[in-house]
Amino acid sequence: MVKYCELFWSFFKIGTFTLGGGYAMIPLMEQELVDRHGWLSQEDFLDQVALSQSMPGVLAVNMATGVGYRLRGYRGAAVAIVANIMMPIVFIITLAMLYQLFKSNTHVVHFFMGVRPAAVALIAAPVFKLAKSAQVTWRTLWIPVTSALLIWLLGVNPVYVILAAIVLGLLWSKIGPGTNEDRTN
Amino acid sequence: MLFLELFWTFLKIGLFTFGGGAAMVALIQNEVTVSHSWLSTQEFTDILAVSQMTPGPIGINTATYTGYTAVLNAGYGQGLAVVGAMLASLAVILLPVVLMFGVVRFLQRYRNNRYVNGVFQLLRRVVVGVIAAAALQLATVESFGEPEVSLHFIASLVIFATVFILAMRKKSPIWLMLGSGAVGLLLYGLV
């Protein structure tokens, strides 16, 4: 049986030393959970990744929940989640405090003037990457475009747009052709 | 009651985030700068920048930092701001975690279900639009400078284009952010 302290240490390392968000954690998780400890088979790991991606929420936390639960039940999940997000939260709160102290410092102001357009670019870039993996074609381009315009121009809360997509998706699978809506897939 | 509202808002954000960190950032951005005026767009962009530079999931980082700043902006002290940060982080993971407990047992049966596939086919395309809307709403005068022939505006456009192209080529966000910050330091400090 997997020890709690080993589980904690693994997810602590994964959470603390991964820069660049949840997707960057996947290779490190695989190395730690599959190769190093052998807690999961390669196949189980990939299943867990697919499942975590299709569930709502944060990918890394979903992974920690699923893996922790498989290994040691509810307590295992709690240990893995806490270990995974503990240091990031401490880092962020520390930085938030420092920012409050130094936000009017000239160098900090200049630094953020350079960094702001980059932060926006890092949110714009996934749009095109995700469009590819979501199989957005000329025929289906109206779906993301309409969603974006509803939010951007009409001020609709994105939560309602997502809710509508879930309801319409269910209806479509009920009344639609059933197997596959896109011949291009 | 700010703390209750903060909890409820982040509970909602967690439940409706499909498609990774950028999708969560998009929902947080809309809730905290549009639906509630807890933060200005500029404050949010700064938070986003810091969240992209620190380790950990970007969604959690942004939730933590936003919770902290929202409480501080409402006039409370540092201690309560830390409580707000913890509250937002807890709320944002709570419902997905509970759902995961339920779903992990039905792993195989759940995956090739016709309804699940139907919903995700549409949902994934909608989320692309949700993230695009957030990027559009974040591209403001506060982040890019007044649209005129000025050092700030032109440099912002160049930084945006460069980082955009490099991010598409999967360059690490931390180096992109630190690099852009260094450019800002040199450019605005020396000129």
Side-chain angles (χ1 to χ4, degrees):
Chain A
M1 185 164 279
V2 178
K3 283 189 189 135
Y4 286 126
C5 60
E6 279 185 310
L7 189 63
F8 183 92
W9 181 236
S10 272
F11 276 95
F12 182 84
K13 278 191 291 187
I14 293 165
T16 310
F17 299 112
T18 325
L19 293 163
Y23 285 95
M25 282 188 193
I26 300 296
L28 190 61
M29 279 192 182
E30 186 172 3
Q31 194 189 329
E32 192 68 24
L33 304 171
V34 180
D35 304 340
R36 187 147 177 265
H37 290 290
W39 289 336
L40 291 176
S41 70
Q42 179 80 26
E43 201 182 31
D44 282 348
F45 179 78
L46 291 178
D47 272 353
Q48 184 61 50
V49 173
L51 183 70
S52 302
Q53 281 177 322
S54 53
M55 295 291 286
V58 178
L59 178 63
V61 175
N62 290 351
M63 284 298 294
T65 311
V67 173
Y69 183 77
R70 277 156 180 257
L71 297 176
R72 289 300 302 264
Y74 291 114
R75 279 192 201 171
V79 166
I81 296 167
V82 170
N84 194 229
I85 62 175
M86 194 168 86
M87 286 319 282
I89 290 179
V90 171
F91 283 140
I92 277 287
I93 292 178
T94 312
L95 280 171
M97 288 175 168
L98 289 174
Y99 178 75
Q100 289 301 325
L101 283 178
F102 295 109
K103 66 179 171 184
S104 39
N105 173 291
T106 325
H107 297 302
V108 174
V109 170
H110 290 159
F111 183 83
F112 275 96
M113 275 168 79
V115 138
R116 275 177 208 131
V120 180
L122 281 185
I123 290 302
V127 172
F128 295 88
K129 273 192 275 183
L130 287 173
K132 213 167 152 191
S133 70
Q135 290 155 350
V136 175
T137 57
W138 286 111
R139 249 185 61 208
T140 51
L141 188 63
W142 64 274
I143 301 172
V145 170
T146 312
S147 318
L149 292 180
L150 281 173
I151 298 164
W152 185 44
L153 293 181
L154 300 181
V156 177
N157 188 315
V159 165
Y160 296 124
V161 177
I162 288 166
L163 205 55
I166 294 172
V167 173
L168 290 174
L170 278 174
L171 284 175
W172 177 254
S173 3
K174 182 104 183 149
I175 58 163
T179 46
N180 216 338
E181 60 160 311
D182 271 340
R183 296 278 165 256
T184 46
N185 282 0
Chain B
M1 175 66 194
L2 177 67
F3 289 91
L4 214 59
E5 255 188 287
L6 203 62
F7 188 78
W8 170 244
T9 302
F10 278 91
L11 210 59
K12 202 164 61 173
I13 291 168
L15 186 62
F16 287 100
T17 294
F18 291 92
M24 181 168 277
V25 167
L27 294 192
I28 297 178
Q29 179 265 335
N30 199 280
E31 286 288 342
V32 304
T33 65
V34 182
S35 298
H36 304 88
S37 302
W38 287 332
L39 275 77
S40 70
T41 301
Q42 183 177 350
E43 274 178 311
F44 185 78
T45 312
D46 288 356
I47 284 175
L48 191 55
V50 173
S51 303
Q52 283 161 333
M53 281 187 282
T54 43
I58 174 104
I60 295 281
N61 291 352
T62 313
T64 309
Y65 201 158
T66 309
Y68 179 89
T69 313
V71 173
L72 216 57
N73 282 354
Y76 297 96
Q78 296 263 351
L80 283 174
V82 172
V83 174
M86 307 291 260
L87 201 64
S89 322
L90 174 71
V92 91
I93 65 170
L94 194 59
L95 293 177
V97 165
V98 171
L99 273 175
M100 184 59 89
F101 287 142
V103 160
V104 99
R105 307 176 190 192
F106 306 105
L107 187 62
Q108 296 309 328
R109 253 184 296 170
Y110 156 90
R111 272 187 58 204
N112 285 316
N113 179 291
R114 162 186 175 177
Y115 293 101
V116 173
N117 284 344
V119 168
F120 275 102
Q121 217 161 40
L122 185 58
L123 201 54
R124 275 199 293 263
R125 290 166 185 164
V126 165
V127 167
V128 171
V130 170
I131 299 171
L136 287 169
Q137 283 175 338
L138 287 174
T140 58
V141 173
E142 292 87 57
S143 298
F144 284 77
E146 293 287 344
E148 58 192 16
V149 185
S150 67
L151 176 68
H152 185 194
F153 186 64
I154 293 167
S156 295
L157 289 185
V158 173
I159 291 173
F160 177 87
T162 313
V163 171
F164 182 84
I165 291 165
L166 292 176
M168 296 283 283
R169 294 185 179 176
K170 301 193 171 168
K171 294 281 179 280
S172 160
I174 173 123
W175 296 115
L176 295 177
M177 299 304 286
L178 290 177
S180 312
V183 168
L185 274 175
L186 282 173
L187 210 58
Y188 305 120
L190 296 179
V191 178

